[in-house]
Amino acid sequence: MLYIPIIVSVISLIFAYFLIRQVNSSASGSGPMIEISSAVRQGAVAFLKRQYLTAGIVSSVIFIVLWSFLGFKTGLGFLVGAFASGVAGFIGMMVSTKANLKVAEAAKSGLKPAFDLSFKGGAVTGFLVVGLGLLSVSVFYFLTQDLKSLVALGLGGSLISVFARLGGGIFTKAADVGADLVGKIEKGIPEDDPRNPAVIADQVGDNVGDCAGMAADLFETYVVSLISGMVLAGLLFPNLIQAVLLPLMLGSLAILASIIASFFVRLPRQATSLKIMPTLYKGLIITGVLSAIGFYPLISKVAPLLEIPIFKLYLPVLIGLAISAAMFLITEYFTSKKYRPVRSIAESSQSGHGPNLITGLAVGMKSTLLPVLLICLGILISFALAGMYGLSLTLVSMISLTGLIIALDSYGPITDNAAGIVEMSGQPEEVRKNTDALDSVGNTTKAVTKGYAIASAGLAALVLFAAFTQELLDFGRKVQFSLEDPRVLVGLFLGGVIAYYFVALAMEAVGKAAMKVVDEVRRQFKEIPGLMEGQNKPDYSKCVDIVTKASLKAMILPALLPIASPILVGFILGPEALGGLLIGSIVVGIFLAISMTSGGGAWDNAKKYIEEGNFGGKGSFAHQAAVTGDTVGDPYKDTAGPAINPMIKVLNIVALLIVSFLV
């Protein structure tokens, strides 16, 4: 039975390899386009190397600690998870930095070839992530048969994800904010104008933040979700290997469904931009339908062994798929230019910067209601049907769509970079229309995939918390997490404040780095003769170097915070306080993550809605206010908000690993 996930993961990697070959075989464009793409690629590779070096040093220390206290297998599991996460992010980013140039060239031939190539480029990362994730978990468990060590594998993936989300997020948003504040507001030049010294750093940031960062984020969500389901099954049904392996089997089937569905993501030849989003959604719908059909025979084989009616295990799986679909629709409503929330922000911009910020904050806060109600409903129904094991199956079902989800997310930065290359190289207006149409949809896909990632991260953390409490029970420590216990209350408050402080550190880092970029851009416009007139080129490398150093320095403290916090609270205040900390961080973290990502996405698209000619268009007073809102929204949606996902899971994984020392 365990051979099947290994075989399927290899199939996923082979499929990714063929997609890479298709992307590489397409045309690469002309001289200026190659020059711009090469600069972006070099900057992205240089940053990732330095980021991974930093993460590698921290990982080596943690490996030694885990080996010393929990054994070599546990330490090895951590290294496997960290390495696989890093590889998935790096290869995905390398392909993306090639694909952006090729998409820009394909846009000369029309919307369809450009779309097909951008989706294939994104799909490479998607199938690499799920293939490497399933392979690392299944092979490691096959060799060790040790669930405790498997938890450490999840920690490795989560740690790299925190570094990738924080480092990449700080890089991309510091560059973006710096470029916008001077370029758009002070100088009144377009977003991707080659005269702006920060424009290449902005392009680099799209790749290291949204490609490598999201790949690492969803890799660890995928891996941790599989592991949490397996660990919980091992605790609840210790003598039934079928229950432990069911999450791997469900994941395997979903990968095959995703591969089949990817062949249906094709834009009609004469299609307009309005067909792009429905075409992408078609792939997700087909994956969900095929998975739902295929899950039933798997469930029907395992349910009798657990002495649970089939429908009580199958319905939680369907609920997981339904939550995923609903999260997409809800997030799109709050972040798409087609709907009232985004347009209300754009409308308020006519009254100035303050009303734009007030309305944007309100939209972000309101966006939490429906997702939280949805998650609560899913928890209640799944738990009523099959307890915590049912909830774990809901989670596994949700993450079964990960391959195509990442494809949609990576599609965004690829098309964004392609539009930038077209703009900077001075391509004809028709080519710009094609890349702008792709980029507009990419902004929405990046937003909706973040909503999906947050919901799955929240459920994954809850399943890990359940495993934590069950582990305490197995060690003979029955802990009552009662609100009458002051230790639990203290833990709840500490968990909430950790989430807030983590976010504050991330936002502060973006602000400080952005100020340095602003100063440098202003300096170059002042000191380089003829720069504004286009007679001389700016020094792009200087801005890249500034945000690289700033982001790498700033990511260390917040990355270590979720590792140190549970250890200190657990050993000083006990498991009761630690349990409270975990719950507090999950609840507060989910609210922060949803409000920040949805609010930030709404601010971004409100600006783009005005740039399309509404409420005065580019250069108007409303546009200036919208740029200010987007400046706040950028670190919200691309740095602080997404980084909460791995943060809350690291807290729970570390707590699970130290249980034996607390009883």
Side-chain angles (χ1 to χ4, degrees):
M1 197 173 176
L2 194 52
Y3 289 106
I4 295 175
I6 296 174
I7 293 170
V8 172
S9 61
V10 172
I11 291 173
S12 181
L13 295 175
I14 292 172
F15 186 64
Y17 170 73
F18 280 109
L19 289 174
I20 291 173
R21 292 194 62 179
Q22 289 181 26
V23 171
N24 288 338
S25 64
S26 56
S28 296
S30 57
M33 296 169 67
I34 294 174
E35 184 182 345
I36 296 165
S37 179
S38 178
V40 173
R41 183 181 179 86
Q42 289 174 12
V45 171
F47 172 78
L48 274 194
K49 285 182 177 179
R50 293 170 69 174
Q51 183 187 59
Y52 284 173
L53 177 62
T54 304
I57 294 170
V58 176
S59 298
S60 299
V61 175
I62 295 175
F63 164 71
I64 294 171
V65 173
L66 290 173
W67 183 5
S68 302
F69 289 94
L70 296 172
F72 177 73
K73 284 194 295 185
T74 302
L76 181 62
F78 171 80
L79 286 183
V80 169
F83 178 77
S85 178
V87 168
F90 188 80
I91 296 177
M93 189 217 65
M94 293 292 285
V95 175
S96 295
T97 53
K98 282 189 176 181
N100 55 29
L101 172 62
K102 296 175 182 295
V103 169
E105 177 65 19
K108 296 178 181 179
S109 303
L111 188 63
K112 174 179 167 52
F115 170 83
D116 290 345
L117 200 56
S118 57
F119 175 75
K120 288 177 180 177
V124 169
T125 306
F127 288 106
L128 270 174
V129 166
V130 294
L132 284 170
L134 186 62
L135 184 67
S136 58
V137 173
S138 55
V139 170
F140 191 80
Y141 183 68
F142 175 77
L143 294 174
T144 65
Q145 300 291 307
D146 188 344
L147 290 173
K148 192 80 170 182
S149 301
L150 207 57
V151 173
L153 190 150
L155 176 62
S158 296
L159 183 67
I160 296 300
S161 178
V162 172
F163 276 112
R165 269 304 190 192
L166 280 172
I170 294 168
F171 186 111
T172 182
K173 294 304 109 180
D176 195 5
V177 169
D180 283 354
L181 286 178
V182 183
K184 285 186 176 182
I185 294 181
E186 295 182 11
K187 298 296 183 180
I189 59 179
E191 183 169 355
D192 293 311
D193 197 297
R195 293 171 293 178
N196 194 327
V199 72
I200 293 295
D202 187 13
Q203 297 264 331
V204 172
D206 289 335
N207 289 285
V208 300
D210 285 324
C211 287
M214 176 56 98
D217 184 358
L218 282 178
F219 173 90
E220 69 89 18
T221 295
Y222 185 77
V223 166
V224 169
S225 299
L226 292 175
I227 292 171
S228 60
M230 294 171 68
V231 170
L232 191 62
L235 293 170
L236 296 174
F237 311 103
N239 299 317
L240 284 172
I241 189 66
Q242 293 88 347
V244 175
L245 296 181
L246 183 58
L248 295 179
M249 299 301 295
L250 295 174
S252 300
L253 192 145
I255 287 177
L256 296 176
S258 299
I259 291 174
I260 295 171
S262 67
F263 290 100
F264 292 90
V265 184
R266 296 289 185 270
L267 204 63
R269 286 198 174 278
Q270 302 302 320
T272 64
S273 59
L274 297 175
K275 292 290 185 179
I276 296 175
M277 200 68 186
T279 301
L280 292 170
Y281 277 160
K282 182 168 67 175
L284 286 174
I285 293 170
I286 293 173
T287 301
V289 171
L290 292 177
S291 297
I293 296 170
F295 287 163
Y296 185 80
L298 292 176
I299 297 291
S300 63
K301 289 183 179 180
V302 177
L305 300 174
L306 306 180
E307 299 181 350
I308 300 175
I310 295 174
F311 81 93
K312 288 191 173 184
L313 289 184
Y314 186 58
L315 284 181
V317 169
L318 296 183
I319 289 170
L321 294 173
I323 291 175
S324 296
M327 283 300 301
F328 267 85
L329 296 175
I330 293 169
T331 310
E332 184 181 3
Y333 172 75
F334 280 99
T335 59
S336 174
K337 294 178 290 185
K338 297 184 294 183
Y339 302 112
R340 179 61 188 164
V342 168
R343 296 190 176 189
S344 69
I345 298 174
E347 185 178 0
S348 70
S349 301
Q350 298 177 100
S351 301
H353 300 255
N356 172 281
L357 295 175
I358 292 169
T359 308
L361 287 170
V363 167
M365 293 176 185
K366 288 169 67 176
S367 70
T368 62
L369 176 62
L370 290 177
V372 169
L373 290 177
L374 189 68
I375 292 171
C376 290
L377 188 63
I379 291 172
L380 289 172
I381 298 175
S382 297
F383 191 85
L385 289 167
M388 285 306 304
Y389 189 63
L391 184 60
S392 71
L393 292 182
T394 298
L395 171 62
V396 171
S397 175
M398 283 187 67
I399 59 99
S400 67
L401 303 173
T402 296
L404 278 187
I405 298 293
I406 296 175
L408 264 64
D409 185 84
S410 297
Y411 162 93
I414 289 174
T415 56
D416 189 4
N417 273 195
I421 291 170
V422 166
E423 177 77 23
M424 294 175 69
S425 61
Q427 299 301 311
E429 185 66 26
E430 187 61 34
V431 181
R432 295 184 190 183
K433 285 183 179 179
N434 289 334
T435 53
D436 286 346
L438 296 172
D439 183 29
S440 179
V441 173
N443 285 315
T444 302
T445 63
K446 287 189 289 185
V448 297
T449 53
K450 287 184 177 72
Y452 162 87
I454 292 163
S456 57
L459 288 180
L462 284 173
V463 175
L464 286 169
F465 176 75
F468 167 75
T469 58
Q470 188 65 41
E471 187 87 347
L472 283 171
L473 192 62
D474 285 0
F475 277 106
R477 183 73 177 270
K478 188 176 182 179
V479 179
Q480 296 291 333
F481 297 105
S482 172
L483 293 180
E484 295 179 355
D485 189 336
R487 292 170 297 178
V488 175
L489 284 174
V490 168
L492 286 169
F493 279 110
L494 290 175
V497 81
I498 285 171
Y500 261 97
Y501 194 68
F502 179 87
V503 164
L505 290 174
M507 294 290 291
E508 186 180 45
V510 172
K512 288 181 178 179
M515 286 190 290
K516 293 179 180 178
V517 175
V518 167
D519 290 341
E520 175 60 23
V521 173
R522 286 172 176 168
R523 184 193 68 79
Q524 291 199 33
F525 273 119
K526 182 181 179 180
E527 296 181 5
I528 298 178
L531 179 58
M532 193 63 187
E533 292 76 24
Q535 298 171 356
N536 276 315
K537 289 185 177 181
D539 183 2
Y540 299 121
S541 63
K542 188 66 177 177
C543 287
V544 173
D545 186 61
I546 287 172
V547 287
T548 297
K549 290 177 179 177
S551 57
L552 291 175
K553 181 181 179 182
M555 72 181 182
I556 301 294
L557 178 58
L560 294 177
L561 185 64
I563 297 175
S565 299
I567 296 173
L568 292 173
V569 171
F571 282 101
I572 296 174
L573 298 176
E576 294 84 1
L578 180 54
L581 179 142
L582 299 179
I583 291 296
S585 66
I586 293 170
V587 173
V588 175
I590 286 177
F591 278 102
L592 279 172
I594 294 174
S595 65
M596 292 181 113
T597 53
S598 294
W603 262 314
D604 190 0
N605 276 332
K607 178 197 68 175
K608 287 181 168 56
Y609 183 70
I610 293 174
E611 289 175 345
E612 291 175 352
N614 302 289
F615 304 119
K618 289 184 179 180
S620 65
F621 179 68
H623 183 235
Q624 291 178 5
V627 171
T628 299
D630 184 40
T631 301
V632 177
D634 272 343
Y636 257 48
K637 69 180 175 67
D638 290 327
T639 307
I644 294 173
N645 299 345
M647 187 273 291
I648 59 176
K649 281 173 286 187
V650 170
L651 284 169
N652 281 269
I653 292 172
V654 172
L656 191 56
L657 286 171
I658 65 172
V659 166
S660 61
F661 298 99
L662 303 178
V663 295

